[in-house]
């Protein structure tokens, strides 16, 4: 009987969760399409390419709404069972409220796993979407100064000055994160570099530091050097840089480390990176918050459930933006800023669920 009840509770939760997790992104897609359709048609994008670009946007748009989807599914599923006295009947049969919502807890764990997967998938799909929409634009200036470029294979280029007209660079540092002696980290610094269409970039007057582990650092000086992976043409380096949202968790971590070495303020990037984990985990935290509130939805019906869910979602999103701003300014540690909304909701949720009549 309990197994049948578990299936019933999980299915009721799952139907609402899937509807919400897909419904919100589809609504965002419709709004975005309405605002940008003229621009897409002006770029001569066909219906197929526009539709594919929004398909690639789906993982990124779903990532942020997963906690809200869990909240809506919890409030409406438990609220309906409360109004129909199903929870009361379960308690009369000796099944506690905590045991009753166990299938919903399993659903929240699945939503957390899905969020972690989407967080890693979204940077790849965002890149594909930008390629379709032709979002990259070449800078109108022939020179670019003091910038970093995140390349493939975890490589970061820090460039003092790029001169597009004569295809040269003044002040160049290449960093690559390794994983051990067989694939060591290295840092290449050079005074100048010149682009050769056949060979790529030729670096001159510099040094290469091989770092196989934390105890060794082997340095070689050179008059000229060709890094076969540094082959991006000068115009490629002027294209719109990879945004943090277009980087995976590990790639963003390497980029943050490299930028930190150059003295850049990386607090906002640290918060963004940690949110890749904190937001999916919130799917479990939000269950503790929503389940107790759902038991009182019989007083206001579906309207009460909608109001509670929307208000909680808005407060949660506002807290994320608030703590992100505080963490970005360095007022609190960046990692704590990312986790603070989940901690607040977790504490309130633990108090509420402890007070539920089981």
């Amino acid at each position: 009987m309990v197994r049948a009840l578990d299936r019933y509770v999980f299915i009721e939760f799952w139907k609402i969760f899937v509807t919400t997790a897909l419904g919100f992104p589809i609504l965002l897609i419709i709004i975005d399409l309405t605002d940008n359709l003229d621009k897409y048609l002006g770029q001569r994008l066909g219906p197929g390419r526009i539709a594919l670009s929004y398909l690639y946007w789906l993982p990124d748009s779903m990532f942020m709404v997963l906690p809200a989807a869990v909240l809506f599914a919890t409030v409406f599923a438990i609220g309906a069972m409360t109004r129909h006295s199903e929870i009361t009947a379960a308690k009369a049969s000796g099944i506690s409220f905590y045991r009753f919502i166990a299938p919903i807890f399993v659903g929240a764990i699945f939503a957390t796993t899905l969020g972690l997967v989407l967080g890693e998938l979204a940077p790849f799909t965002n890149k594909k979407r930008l390629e379709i929409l032709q979002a990259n634009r070449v800078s109108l200036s022939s020179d670019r100064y003091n910038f970093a470029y995140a390349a493939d294979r975890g490589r970061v280029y820090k460039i003092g000055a790029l001169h597009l007209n004569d295809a040269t660079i003044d002040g160049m540092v290449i960093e690559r994160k390794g994983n051990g002696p067989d694939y060591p980290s290295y840092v290449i610094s050079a005074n100048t570099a010149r682009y050769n269409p056949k060979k790529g970039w030729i670096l001159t007057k510099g040094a290469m530091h091989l770092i196989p582990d934390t105890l060794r650092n082997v340095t070689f000086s050179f008059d000229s050097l060709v890094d076969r992976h540094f082959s991006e043409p000068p115009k490629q380096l002027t294209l719109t840089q990879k945004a943090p949202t277009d980087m995976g968790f590990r790639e963003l971590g390497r980029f943050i480390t490299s930028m930190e070495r150059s003295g850049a303020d990386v607090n906002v990037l640290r918060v963004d990176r940690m949110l890749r984990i904190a937001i999916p985990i919130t799917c479990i935290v939000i269950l503790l918050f929503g389940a107790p509130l759902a038991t009182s939805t019989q007083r206001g019906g579906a309207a009460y459930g909608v109001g509670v869910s929307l208000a909680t979602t808005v407060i949660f999103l506002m807290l994320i933006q608030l703590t992100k701003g505080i963490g970005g300014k360095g007022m609190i540690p960046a990692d704590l800023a990312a986790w603070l909304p989940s901690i607040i909701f977790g504490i309130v949720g633990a108090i509420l669920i402890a007070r539920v009549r089981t």
Side-chain angles (χ1 to χ4, degrees):
M1 181 185 66
V2 174
R3 287 199 295 269
L5 180 61
D6 288 341
R7 288 196 297 270
Y8 170 71
V9 174
F10 182 82
I11 290 173
E12 291 301 309
F13 168 85
W14 186 250
K15 289 190 296 186
I16 302 173
F17 172 76
V18 172
T19 301
T20 309
L22 291 177
F24 280 153
I26 291 175
L27 180 61
L28 291 175
I29 287 173
I30 293 174
I31 294 173
D32 186 83
L33 179 62
T34 303
D35 292 339
N36 296 296
L37 183 59
D38 290 342
K39 182 180 72 175
Y40 297 155
L41 295 177
Q43 294 176 350
R44 297 182 180 179
L45 295 175
R49 296 184 67 189
I50 295 176
L52 184 59
S53 71
Y54 281 114
L55 181 63
Y56 282 132
W57 192 32
L58 201 57
D60 191 28
S61 57
M62 284 184 64
F63 177 78
M64 285 297 295
V65 304
L66 284 180
V70 170
L71 178 63
F72 269 76
T74 300
V75 170
F76 278 92
I78 296 179
M81 295 172 189
T82 301
R83 290 192 300 272
H84 298 151
S85 300
E86 292 168 300
I87 293 181
T88 302
K91 291 178 181 178
S93 301
I95 301 173
S96 70
F97 179 74
Y98 299 147
R99 178 62 183 86
F100 186 86
I101 66 172
I104 298 180
F105 185 78
V106 173
I109 293 176
F110 179 83
T112 296
T113 304
L114 178 61
L116 294 173
V117 172
L118 290 176
E120 286 299 294
L121 181 63
F124 172 77
T125 56
N126 286 340
K127 179 180 178 181
K128 292 293 184 180
R129 182 171 186 262
L130 290 177
E131 290 175 356
I132 292 175
L133 298 181
Q134 302 174 354
N136 291 336
R137 292 290 183 268
V138 177
S139 173
L140 297 176
S141 174
S142 59
D143 296 326
R144 190 178 179 190
Y145 299 94
N146 298 322
F147 66 97
Y149 186 92
D152 295 332
R153 303 182 181 91
R155 296 158 55 83
V156 177
Y157 308 146
K158 290 184 283 189
I159 298 174
L162 170 65
H163 306 293
L164 198 60
N165 291 336
D166 53 4
T168 60
I169 290 175
D170 294 331
M172 176 79 198
V173 176
I174 301 174
E175 294 186 5
R176 188 199 71 181
K177 179 69 173 178
N179 54 20
D182 295 332
Y183 189 75
S185 300
Y186 65 70
V187 178
I188 300 175
S189 59
N191 292 339
T192 59
R194 178 176 295 276
Y195 182 71
N196 184 302
K198 295 182 179 180
K199 296 182 179 180
W201 288 93
I202 301 174
L203 285 66
T204 56
K205 297 181 180 179
M208 178 177 184
H209 303 271
L210 281 176
I211 311 171
D213 51 50
T214 57
L215 300 178
R216 290 179 292 173
N217 184 345
V218 183
T219 302
F220 303 92
S221 299
F222 60 84
D223 290 327
S224 65
L225 178 144
V226 176
D227 184 341
R228 62 187 179 88
H229 294 301
F230 183 29
S231 58
E232 290 85 355
K235 286 186 177 181
Q236 178 75 22
L237 300 177
T238 64
L239 296 179
T240 302
Q241 173 66 2
K242 248 187 180 180
T245 54
D246 299 335
M247 300 181 188
F249 186 82
R250 292 183 179 180
E251 183 182 6
L252 181 57
R254 291 191 293 263
F255 183 72
I256 289 173
T257 301
S258 177
M259 294 298 293
E260 197 171 28
R261 288 175 186 162
S262 65
D265 185 357
V266 295
N267 284 326
V268 174
L269 295 179
R270 286 187 178 278
V271 177
D272 284 336
R273 182 172 183 260
M274 191 52 62
L275 282 173
R276 306 277 182 91
I277 299 177
I279 289 178
I281 296 296
T282 304
C283 292
I284 298 176
V285 174
I286 210 74
L287 167 64
L288 302 177
F289 186 87
L293 294 178
T295 59
S296 60
T297 57
Q298 57 183 345
R299 296 179 301 184
Y304 181 83
V306 172
V308 168
S309 301
L310 287 177
T312 304
T313 300
V314 170
I315 292 173
F316 176 70
L317 294 177
M318 289 177 61
L319 275 176
I320 287 180
Q321 295 303 319
L322 177 62
T323 56
K324 185 176 178 179
I326 295 174
K329 295 296 183 181
M331 299 174 65
I332 60 176
D335 291 347
L336 176 61
W339 284 103
L340 195 55
S342 298
I343 293 173
I344 293 174
F345 271 79
I347 293 173
V348 176
I351 295 173
L352 290 176
I353 203 165
R355 298 175 62 183
V356 172
R357 296 178 61 185
T358 61

